[in-house]
Amino acid sequence: MLLVLSAEHRAHLGCLPRAGGAAVGELGRLALEQLRRGAAPRACETAARKLNVGVDTIQHGVEGLVYLLTESSKLMISEVDFQDSIHVLGFSDELNKSLLQLYLDNRKEIRSILGELAPRLPSYHSLEWRLDVQLASRSLRQQIKPAVTMKLHLNQNEDQTAQVLQTDPATLLHLIQQLEQALGEMKMNHCRRIVRNMK
């Protein structure tokens, strides 16, 4: 699977040859620091003085590397696919090898950082439900008004929470049909590929 770079990301990565071959190591270090701790403008200024290039060049190079490394690590693209993805940039073989080595050395750590940044969503624990039917009221002697009440128990960060939901059977039936359709779509090859790359 190839990583498709937008024109903006290509432009940012285009700063790398101007910064020089030795700069890839420095910019790679800054990109990893940005992933770990967030942006560090002073570190970019220091690197710009050290490499004798503009601060904007360093910042764009770091942003481009952060995108390249995070997207490649998310998709866990192979060595060959990574090389094919950066080949379109027209860099020298030496620069391509440096970028590949940077990716191979750090992809596990980047995936771990991205995993920590992912939101922790609640997970299903159990469900209680009850069907209530109103047969009559003072104003209407003959009516049938069904309602389904559900208590959804969820786990979140080792705590249990509960949500109470109420709906009519027609809406519940529609919801079930939509969920079954979504599950059916998950069995398609396209969706399987996406899910496999998300893991």
Side-chain angles (χ1 to χ4, degrees):
M1 173 181 290
L2 291 178
L3 177 65
V4 180
L5 298 167
S6 69
E8 181 186 6
H9 292 117
R10 277 193 227 154
H12 284 185
L13 288 166
C15 300
L16 294 178
R18 281 180 286 174
V24 172
E26 183 67 21
L27 292 177
R29 186 187 63 75
L30 287 172
L32 290 169
E33 283 301 311
Q34 183 169 326
L35 280 170
R36 289 182 198 121
R37 296 188 182 90
R42 285 190 180 174
C44 287
E45 291 169 10
T46 306
R49 280 195 302 275
K50 184 176 166 184
L51 298 169
N52 200 24
V53 292
V55 176
D56 286 345
T57 302
I58 297 294
Q59 286 175 335
H60 287 153
V62 168
E63 287 170 17
L65 277 176
V66 165
Y67 178 80
L68 178 68
L69 294 172
T70 54
E71 292 303 310
S72 300
S73 298
K74 264 191 231 175
L75 300 172
M76 278 303 276
I77 62 177
S78 67
E79 219 175 293
V80 173
D81 288 341
F82 184 85
Q83 287 174 322
D84 290 343
S85 298
I86 61 174
H87 181 72
V88 298
L89 298 170
F91 293 159
S92 67
D93 288 342
E94 183 185 331
L95 186 53
N96 285 344
K97 284 178 187 172
S98 299
L99 288 171
L100 175 63
Q101 197 58 50
L102 183 67
Y103 167 64
L104 293 175
D105 291 345
N106 297 293
R107 66 180 165 187
K108 286 182 183 170
E109 182 186 356
I110 293 168
R111 279 184 69 81
S112 136
I113 292 168
L114 294 174
E116 290 170 15
L117 295 175
R120 302 280 181 238
L121 299 174
S123 61
Y124 170 83
H125 181 264
S126 63
L127 175 74
E128 298 174 47
W129 64 275
R130 182 179 76 219
L131 177 64
D132 295 317
V133 181
Q134 184 177 350
L135 298 174
S137 66
R138 285 185 184 178
S139 58
L140 290 170
R141 296 274 183 223
Q142 297 245 329
Q143 71 171 2
I144 297 178
K145 189 177 175 187
V148 179
T149 305
M150 296 169 281
K151 189 172 187 180
L152 182 62
H153 297 274
L154 303 169
N155 292 329
Q156 186 167 22
N157 299 332
E158 299 176 13
D159 294 331
Q160 276 202 357
T161 58
Q163 299 287 328
V164 177
L165 311 163
Q166 189 172 44
T167 186
D168 60 283
T171 304
L172 184 60
L173 187 61
H174 176 71
L175 181 62
I176 290 168
Q177 290 169 345
Q178 292 295 311
L179 289 171
E180 285 175 347
Q181 181 182 349
L183 285 171
E185 288 175 7
M186 284 297 295
K187 293 176 183 171
M188 295 170 58
N189 287 337
H190 178 68
C191 288
R192 281 193 198 145
R193 274 198 304 273
I194 291 170
V195 170
R196 216 175 20 248
N197 288 324
M198 286 171 59
K199 290 180 181 174

